[in-house]
Amino acid sequence: MTVSDLNESAKALLESHFNSIEIEGEISRLTKHNSGHWYFTLKDEKSAISVAIYKFANQNIKFDIKDGMKVTLIGKLSIYSPNGSYQFIANRIMPIGVGELELAFNQLKERLAAAGLFDKEHKKPLPKYPNRVGIITSASSAAFADMCRVINDRYILPKFYLFNSLVQGNNAPANLIKMVKIADNMDLDVIVIARGGGSKEDLWCFNDEALAYAIYEAKTPIISAVGHEIDYSISDFVADHRSLTPTAAMVDLLPDSNELYQRLDIIQNNLESILISKFSRYENLLNLAKTELKSKAIEQKIALATLNLDGFKSNLDNFLHKKLDLARSKIEKFELVLKRQEHFYKITKNMVQIIKDSQIVLLSELKSGDEITINSQDTSKQAIIK
């Protein structure tokens, strides 16, 4: 493993095992960074831990936090990968102390948890690229307007269906349950139940037990996005996913178009690199094949030329043999003539030629009846042998 691999694995391990915990302590060394993120140390009598609250989580906090303040934090453990530092990522911060509504809330939460409504094995995964999204909220609310803004800025490909509902008051739970059931029968990819921030009393309709069971029994994945990041409702626990705010729900659900473009650029670059590598490899193989083909063609040409040369050699041999045979025949005849002439010169000084059928012949070769021509140095006579 590389160092980065190790840090990322440790981070994933921590976040998966401590993804929703509460801790109490005293704020110390608070720093509000120019980026909007907050950093401080949370300590008790014996220990301390670094805490980060990112801009998205802290921008709607209504109270001021200060050094020395005792608070309850809700969030997850994580590791900052670049330097491997161990830290707590808080998404909610509450001053110490609870009231009557909080007690009622905790009692209902314990009862539903015992009934298994919060168990992780019942949580349905959210779609990575949703196509049909239902939103249950008040059509006239600022929260819905903020959600639409995030949709337009982030990812506009899905179809969105608005289910206008009451989100406050005594009649709100029944209206919310009705909308959940209608939306659940529309073959949607996901349903978002959303409401902007408010007091505990304003948000109390989302702590309804019947609504919790309606969310639990729905076959469609449901996101609960109620209040600000510091607000928790029963719907948050029973839903398949809890978002800090309505706008955060859109961020959690919808992919970032800009990030997709970057991924596509990376994929395109990788594909181009692969294609270039492949083309280069096959070009080398092609050039090698061309070289081999050329080499084979030369060998074929040499073989053909050799064959042709063998044929030419054979023809030449035949031609030369014929010429040599003819020349040899003429030489032999010429030698015979020379022998005959030499013989006649030896017989007499007054040499005569005996011609028969245009050929010089010896006297011994003649027989009775042969017509011959006798040539001497000064005359020629016709004669018949008797």
Side-chain angles (χ1 to χ4, degrees), residues 108-109 111-125 136 176-181 184 191 193 206 208-224 233-241:
L108 177 59
K109 179 182 173 183
R111 186 164 65 251
L112 295 178
L117 270 68
F118 305 157
D119 293 349
K120 290 185 178 180
E121 56 265 27
H122 298 303
K123 304 293 184 182
K124 296 176 284 295
I136 300 175
L176 287 168
I177 293 170
K178 177 181 177 181
M179 294 304 170
V180 167
K181 293 182 177 180
D184 191 42
I191 298 170
I193 300 176
F206 295 97
D208 183 80
E209 187 170 359
L211 176 60
Y213 275 96
I215 294 173
Y216 175 76
E217 293 169 356
K219 61 181 181 294
T220 308
I222 293 180
I223 296 175
S224 176
S233 63
I234 295 299
S235 63
D236 294 334
F237 293 100
V238 72
D240 299 292
H241 177 83

Side-chain angles (χ1 to χ4, degrees), residues 103-365:
L103 177 61
F105 172 85
N106 289 333
Q107 290 174 340
L108 177 59
K109 179 182 173 183
E110 291 176 3
R111 186 164 65 251
L112 295 178
L117 270 68
F118 305 157
D119 293 349
K120 290 185 178 180
E121 56 265 27
H122 298 303
K123 304 293 184 182
K124 296 176 284 295
L126 301 181
K128 189 173 183 180
Y129 300 103
N131 292 317
R132 294 165 56 85
V133 179
I135 299 176
I136 300 175
T137 191
S138 172
S140 60
S141 66
F144 179 63
D146 290 340
M147 295 170 75
C148 292
R149 175 181 53 79
V150 175
I151 292 170
N152 289 327
D153 292 342
R154 192 172 180 85
Y155 191 69
I156 61 173
L157 293 182
K159 290 183 178 180
F160 294 89
Y161 300 85
L162 172 63
F163 300 87
N164 189 22
S165 174
L166 297 174
V167 291
Q168 182 176 337
N170 294 333
N171 296 325
N175 194 221
L176 287 168
I177 293 170
K178 177 181 177 181
M179 294 304 170
V180 167
K181 293 182 177 180
I182 293 174
D184 191 42
N185 290 321
M186 287 188 59
D187 194 27
L188 302 175
D189 295 322
V190 65
I191 298 170
V192 180
I193 300 176
R195 190 210 190 277
S199 65
K200 285 184 174 64
E201 291 81 2
D202 293 338
L203 304 179
W204 194 250
C205 61
F206 295 97
N207 296 323
D208 183 80
E209 187 170 359
L211 176 60
Y213 275 96
I215 294 173
Y216 175 76
E217 293 169 356
K219 61 181 181 294
T220 308
I222 293 180
I223 296 175
S224 176
V226 177
H228 296 304
E229 62 273 12
I230 62 173
D231 300 315
Y232 266 80
S233 63
I234 295 299
S235 63
D236 294 334
F237 293 100
V238 72
D240 299 292
H241 177 83
R242 187 251 177 178
S243 294
L244 301 179
T245 64
T247 55
M250 296 297 98
V251 174
D252 294 343
L253 175 64
L254 303 178
D256 187 347
S257 297
N258 292 325
E259 183 177 334
L260 290 178
Y261 293 144
Q262 292 179 6
R263 290 181 182 177
L264 290 174
D265 289 340
I266 293 173
I267 293 172
Q268 179 180 350
N269 292 337
N270 291 337
L271 286 176
E272 289 177 353
S273 177
I274 292 172
L275 288 175
I276 290 173
S277 175
K278 290 288 186 182
F279 277 122
S280 177
R281 177 172 175 268
Y282 286 117
E283 184 178 17
N284 291 335
L285 292 176
L286 182 60
N287 290 333
L288 179 60
K290 286 181 178 179
T291 302
E292 292 179 353
L293 286 175
K294 289 180 180 179
S295 175
K296 290 181 180 179
I298 291 174
E299 291 177 358
Q300 292 174 354
K301 290 178 180 179
I302 292 174
L304 181 59
T306 303
L307 183 61
N308 292 337
L309 184 60
D310 290 341
F312 177 78
K313 180 182 178 182
S314 178
N315 293 336
L316 181 61
D317 288 343
N318 293 335
F319 175 80
L320 290 177
H321 282 306
K322 289 181 180 179
K323 290 294 184 181
L324 288 173
D325 290 342
L326 181 59
R328 190 178 295 110
S329 177
K330 288 183 178 181
I331 290 172
E332 288 175 354
K333 288 181 180 180
F334 184 72
E335 287 178 347
L336 181 58
V337 170
L338 288 178
K339 288 180 181 178
R340 288 176 179 174
Q341 288 179 352
E342 182 181 3
H343 178 72
F344 284 119
Y345 276 110
K346 289 179 180 178
I347 294 175
T348 176
K349 292 181 179 178
N350 295 321
M351 183 181 68
V352 295
Q353 274 187 340
I354 301 174
I355 306 298
K356 178 188 175 183
D357 298 332
S358 301
Q359 298 290 334
I360 300 174
V361 297
L362 298 177
L363 185 59
S364 61
E365 295 175 348

Side-chain angles (χ1 to χ4, degrees), residues 6-154:
L6 179 61
N7 283 350
E8 288 296 332
S9 297
K11 177 181 179 181
L13 184 64
L14 273 180
E15 290 180 351
S16 64
H17 285 276
F18 302 96
N19 62 345
S20 182
I21 59 176
E22 298 181 12
I23 56 174
E24 294 181 356
E26 179 180 321
I27 295 175
S28 174
R29 301 173 62 185
L30 173 65
T31 299
K32 295 184 177 181
H33 197 272
N34 293 334
S35 64
H37 305 320
W38 295 354
Y39 304 95
F40 57 89
T41 298
L42 192 71
K43 64 181 183 179
D44 58 17
E45 293 80 9
K46 298 180 180 180
S47 301
I49 186 172
S50 296
V51 178
I53 304 180
Y54 296 131
K55 178 180 179 181
F56 193 79
N58 67 43
Q59 60 185 355
N60 292 318
I61 294 178
K62 299 301 182 181
F63 60 91
D64 292 329
I65 64 172
K66 302 177 180 179
D67 284 349
M69 180 181 288
K70 294 185 178 181
V71 296
T72 298
L73 301 180
I74 298 177
K76 62 182 179 181
L77 283 179
S78 184
I79 288 179
Y80 182 61
S81 298
N83 61 17
S85 61
Y86 168 86
Q87 61 182 350
F88 183 85
I89 306 299
N91 54 48
R92 184 180 178 189
I93 180 170
M94 299 175 294
I96 296 296
V98 296
E100 292 182 1
L101 289 179
E102 191 70 17
L103 177 61
F105 172 85
N106 289 333
Q107 290 174 340
L108 177 59
K109 179 182 173 183
E110 291 176 3
R111 186 164 65 251
L112 295 178
L117 270 68
F118 305 157
D119 293 349
K120 290 185 178 180
E121 56 265 27
H122 298 303
K123 304 293 184 182
K124 296 176 284 295
L126 301 181
K128 189 173 183 180
Y129 300 103
N131 292 317
R132 294 165 56 85
V133 179
I135 299 176
I136 300 175
T137 191
S138 172
S140 60
S141 66
F144 179 63
D146 290 340
M147 295 170 75
C148 292
R149 175 181 53 79
V150 175
I151 292 170
N152 289 327
D153 292 342
R154 192 172 180 85

